[in-house]
Amino acid sequence: MSGDPIQAPAYSTREVDALRLPAGTRERDIVAIEEPLEIRIGGEPVAVTMRTPGHDEELALGFCVTEGLEPRSARVPDDLAANTIEVNARGFEPERLRRHFYTSSSCGVCGKGALEAVEVAAPRVESRLEVAEDVVASLPARLLDAQRTFAATGGLHATGLFTAAGDAVCVREDVGRHNAMDKVIGWAFTEGTLPLGGHVLCVSGRLSFELVQKAAVAGCPVLVAVGAPSSLAVELAGDRGVTLCGWVRDGRVTVYTESWRIV
């Protein structure tokens, strides 16, 4: 991106050479870093995700929370392996994890199976939280204001955790939209604020099944996005009692499920 450089965390960006057309000038450009993170439990690799470095412990914890793995803590492993986080999780069963991932990977084939899999890990959200329409409409702009790395690179997704009054509690960025959500949920786990019955989650892109699943497991009653939801995202939100707000831009809000929470 051109213009004055915007301060972003050093661990999240890198300079590269770029040719700008039609001017034909060669300049240094700032891009978001993307690197793999291996998540281990009991020394055994359970997942590898492509992520933007930073808040790696939160990412690993959030991933484990939303996959039903009951984490206790996360840290750099004893062998100091790069791009690796070791998670301490109670009752970890590798075979159970493999079965769960198989079910999750089938969601595009069988929506009913995917909904049933989430139902096991996420009780229906019963929070009576209500949020003002104008607060919901303001959340994407508030989220954007906190996206320092996106402002510098234009290449990251973000998730923000907000109060019902619209105050930002935690904002995280990542090249993966699901990673940004996991980082926020991991932060909430470390702060002891799960479930998120009194909060609102806002994401910078579209609403996928996976994002609704993570919000439901975290017990968050309202999920807001700049973009559109998928059909299965709407179905899952309705099934789990999550208020889903999409196309939130220019003062407009489209509510797909549990609309009584938006007042």
Side-chain angles (χ1 to χ4, degrees):
M1 296 179 69
S2 60
D4 296 333
I6 296 174
Q7 191 66 35
Y11 53 75
S12 66
T13 63
R14 181 173 298 152
E15 287 193 352
V16 297
D17 290 322
L19 172 64
R20 301 202 186 278
L21 299 174
T25 59
R26 290 193 176 273
E27 301 176 14
R28 299 291 284 173
D29 203 1
I30 301 175
V31 298
I33 293 176
E34 182 177 24
E35 293 180 348
L37 177 69
E38 180 180 271
I39 300 172
R40 299 177 184 173
I41 299 179
E44 179 175 344
V46 297
V48 175
T49 184
M50 300 303 295
R51 86 345 181 163
T52 300
H55 309 289
D56 286 342
E57 290 86 352
E58 292 176 355
L59 171 55
L61 288 169
F63 169 84
C64 289
V65 166
T66 58
E67 294 297 338
L69 300 179
E70 300 184 61
R72 292 174 174 167
S73 61
R75 59 178 176 83
V76 174
D78 294 334
D79 61 7
L80 302 180
N83 291 326
T84 303
I85 293 294
E86 176 77 31
V87 176
N88 177 10
R90 63 170 63 89
F92 171 59
E93 301 175 19
E95 183 57 35
R96 173 176 169 272
L97 181 63
R98 281 189 285 269
R99 289 197 304 270
H100 178 77
F101 282 160
Y102 176 79
T103 301
S104 297
S105 69
S106 302
C107 66
V109 178
C110 177
K112 183 175 183 293
L115 293 176
E116 290 172 348
V118 175
E119 184 177 355
V120 172
R124 183 175 171 84
V125 178
E126 301 293 350
S127 169
R128 305 305 295 177
L129 182 73
E130 295 182 345
V131 185
E133 176 188 338
D134 60 341
V135 170
V136 173
S138 73
L139 291 183
R142 298 185 191 210
L143 180 62
L144 183 60
D145 285 344
Q147 292 178 241
R148 290 184 296 158
T149 306
F150 176 82
T153 67
L156 289 183
H157 295 284
T159 294
L161 182 66
F162 294 86
T163 67
D167 298 320
V169 178
C170 175
V171 174
R172 294 290 183 260
E173 296 180 278
D174 201 277
V175 289
R177 59 172 59 88
H178 57 288
N179 290 339
M181 175 78 79
D182 280 340
K183 287 179 178 180
V184 169
I185 293 173
W187 176 88
F189 175 84
T190 62
E191 294 294 313
T193 58
L194 292 178
L196 299 173
H199 293 82
V200 179
L201 284 165
C202 180
V203 299
S204 59
R206 63 180 178 84
L207 287 164
S208 64
F209 171 87
E210 290 83 2
L211 292 182
V212 177
Q213 174 250 328
K214 291 177 183 296
V217 173
C220 188
V222 182
L223 179 57
V224 176
V226 178
S230 69
S231 62
L232 198 55
V234 174
E235 188 175 353
L236 177 60
D239 182 71
R240 293 294 86 202
V242 175
T243 298
L244 204 62
C245 302
W247 294 116
V248 182
R249 57 182 70 179
D250 302 324
R252 297 190 298 273
V253 178
T254 302
V255 187
Y256 293 91
T257 55
E258 304 295 334
S259 59
W260 59 268
R261 289 196 180 101
I262 309 304
V263 296

